[in-house]
Amino acid sequence: MPTSGSRDTDFIAKLRQIVEEEISNEQFGVSELADRIGMSRSNLLRKVSKASGVSVSQFIRNIRLENAAEMLRNESYTVSEVSYKVGFSSVSYFIKCFREHYGYPPGSIAEHEPELQEEVAETSHEVQEKTRKIPIWILPVAVVVLVAAAIYFFILPGEDQQNKPQSIAVLPFINDSNDSSNVYIINGIMESTLNKLQGIENLRVISRTSVEKYRHNPKTIPEIAKELNVNYVVEGSGQKAGDRILLNIQLIEAGTDNYLLSRQYERTTEDIFALQSDIARNIAEEIEVIITPEEQKRIEKAPTENLEAYDEFLKGLEILNNTADPEELKKAIPHFHAAIRLDNTFARAYAATAITYYVVEVNLAERQFADSINYYADKALFYDSELPQSLISKALVYMAHHEYELAVPYFEKALEYNPSYDLVLYFMVDLYANYLPDTEKYLEYALRGLQVDPAAYDSVTNSFNYLHIANAFIQSGFQDQALKYINKSLDYNPDNLYSEYVKAYIVYAGNRDMDQLRESLKRALDKDRNRLDIAQELAKICYYQHDYQAAYEYYQLYLAIKNAVGMDVYPQEDAKIAYTCLQLGKKEEADRFLESYKTFSENTDSAYKNLNLCMYYALTGNTEQAYSYLELFAQEQQFHYWTVLFLPLEPPFQELRKVRGYKRTVSKIENNFNAFHENLKASLKEKHLI
């Protein structure tokens, strides 16, 4: 029977023969090789990696370079001629690849060949001499060690790497034409390339808003890649002349600044959809990300067969992508309507119309276009139910009618089809932060959003984005991660007092130093004495330290600011204010806050309702009733880390702590939180978010 090794050798030889038959075809890549050998693309990637220790694209490139070297040795071709004969459309890229492969440029091969031959001969002689001195029993052991090393260095890392998504940024394409009116076409091709790549599950694609800031930015590719935390960067430039489109696309490996792909595309406008698909496919092939058949189908799908309709759509999209002013946004709608008139099955145009109507009124209490959003969203879904924009537009129908839970499945389905879609992630973060509060889901979508949208905003906005993520982390018990993100928040905006006092609490979670926490909050309040949030936080810490006089003074400052601005916030603090007043003999004042707290506790509907009622009955001396509500709270599975940290410190629980079973109940609360924390950690790790 043939051995596995001989089968691999035959397989590699067959691949080499196919590649050499297509050696001058610059379009011949991974997919074409998979088709010729009769294998799926993903199986080919795995088998070549295992058999040769290199990627498929590197395997093809090496064969091209080896054939080039042979031509340069034995033929009278120039470097430029050889470049084209072995499938390199760019001579400079060929020279770069040749130098990296052989260590010298192709033009000096004659100078280096004798040296190489001497080196080979010397090495061969040295090996023979050393082999004579090696005991015969060492050789089998050496073989085992070498095989193990090969598995470790070539096979295992390859498999592990397949589980980690690749990452890429598609920089804004440059319009090379003197006619600025063609910008929307070049931008449209860039947008389409980005959208098609976003539809690949195993590829993290940076959002358009994040890359847009680099349109006129002089930073180098390694600098941009570091800021965006990506493996690859795509640059593009092009122009439209008559019915011809000329594009130059470069794919650059961020770590080495090496060009993996440098290709010129020239097509007619009639081939614009095939052009967009080819660009996305060539990029995906070069970085060897696995594309499922369903993803491939979506990449190749044309949005419309009517080029005039598509042209109108791109004009509207240019407005939608580049303005936030509602009146300016309305100018996109006539273009989308024109696209629909030209093709009444154009799902993307229907969806864009619905999204535009929603965004125009996003900050208004009453919506005039709610019915229009519904009409165009339904049309979009009817003509393409798998289009992410169709699903988003339908979700926005429910958002417009405040039916937030009904929006969720549509957003989630859109993410299935387009895992890196920043617009969906933005809406999901907003949903779980403000309308359907859920720390776990908020954290998941905020982190996913940060992966694809790391540099889209100004420093102040980024500071608050990192603040929210840090706060969600610490609420879930992740002290190290919370500290990392709160420091990023303060790096963006050192004057962000929210971040300053949240950091004080994060540090306390690590060292439990109440005096340090109090001093940090005092410094923050001294910077702005009108901050009622910091005043009540400082009062709360004094309360936990049993310094009731200081707590009362800070609570008075908090109440004065609260009344002056007419805000109804922090109703849960009334319990602590009542207890503080009782300790200072201010019973009448305490009763007023206690009654207010009772009303809040009975009418609130949250995970903390039973804990709030426990606090109320502890304050009124009904220990038995207080304990019964504490036991009910112990059934909760999801609550903030602050509960675990500060519940044992509550001064009103002095009598409650004497109840038999109190320690067991508190231990159960802590265990429930720890289980939630561990489950969340496992979930975030599985999704490569921590």
Side-chain angles (χ1 to χ4, degrees), residues 394-419:
K394 188 61 180 179
L396 295 182
V397 172
Y398 294 112
M399 293 285 285
H401 289 88
H402 310 294
E403 297 175 305
Y404 304 112
E405 290 184 354
L406 296 176
V408 170
Y410 290 96
F411 283 135
E412 289 178 340
K413 198 67 178 177
L415 277 181
E416 285 184 28
Y417 294 132
N418 196 326

Side-chain angles (χ1 to χ4, degrees), residues 610-611 613-614 617 624-634:
N610 289 315
L611 185 59
L613 289 167
C614 168
Y617 286 106
E624 183 179 348
Q625 189 78 334
Y627 182 64
S628 69
Y629 279 109
L630 186 66
E631 285 188 306
L632 288 173
F633 178 72

Side-chain angles (χ1 to χ4, degrees), residues 104 111 161 165 234 241 249 300 388 435 478 503 511 521 564 568 571 580 595 618:
Y104 53 86
E111 303 169 17
Q161 192 63 32
V234 175
I249 303 295
E300 294 175 354
Y435 305 107
F478 296 88
K503 180 176 180 177
N511 62 22
L521 292 173
D568 185 18
T580 299
E595 187 62 30

Side-chain angles (χ1 to χ4, degrees), residues 84-128:
Y84 291 110
K85 282 182 175 294
V86 295
F88 284 86
S89 60
S90 167
V91 178
S92 60
Y93 181 52
F94 166 68
I95 294 171
K96 182 181 179 67
C97 292
F98 194 97
R99 183 191 293 274
E100 288 173 356
H101 187 71
Y102 289 104
Y104 53 86
S108 60
I109 190 170
E111 303 169 17
H112 289 83
E113 282 296 307
E115 295 174 18
L116 282 178
Q117 292 168 4
E118 289 175 13
E119 287 178 15
V120 170
E122 289 175 6
T123 303
S124 175
H125 178 72
E126 289 175 8
V127 169
Q128 290 174 2

Side-chain angles (χ1 to χ4, degrees), residues 131-173:
T131 303
R132 292 192 190 104
K133 300 176 184 179
I134 298 175
I136 192 67
W137 60 268
I138 290 289
L139 294 178
V141 176
V143 170
V144 171
V145 171
L146 287 172
V147 170
I151 291 173
Y152 182 81
F153 285 106
F154 294 110
I155 299 174
L156 295 182
E159 291 177 356
D160 181 61
Q161 192 63 32
Q162 287 178 351
N163 294 327
K164 295 181 180 179
Q166 299 275 40
S167 53
I168 193 167
V170 182
L171 298 184
F173 289 2

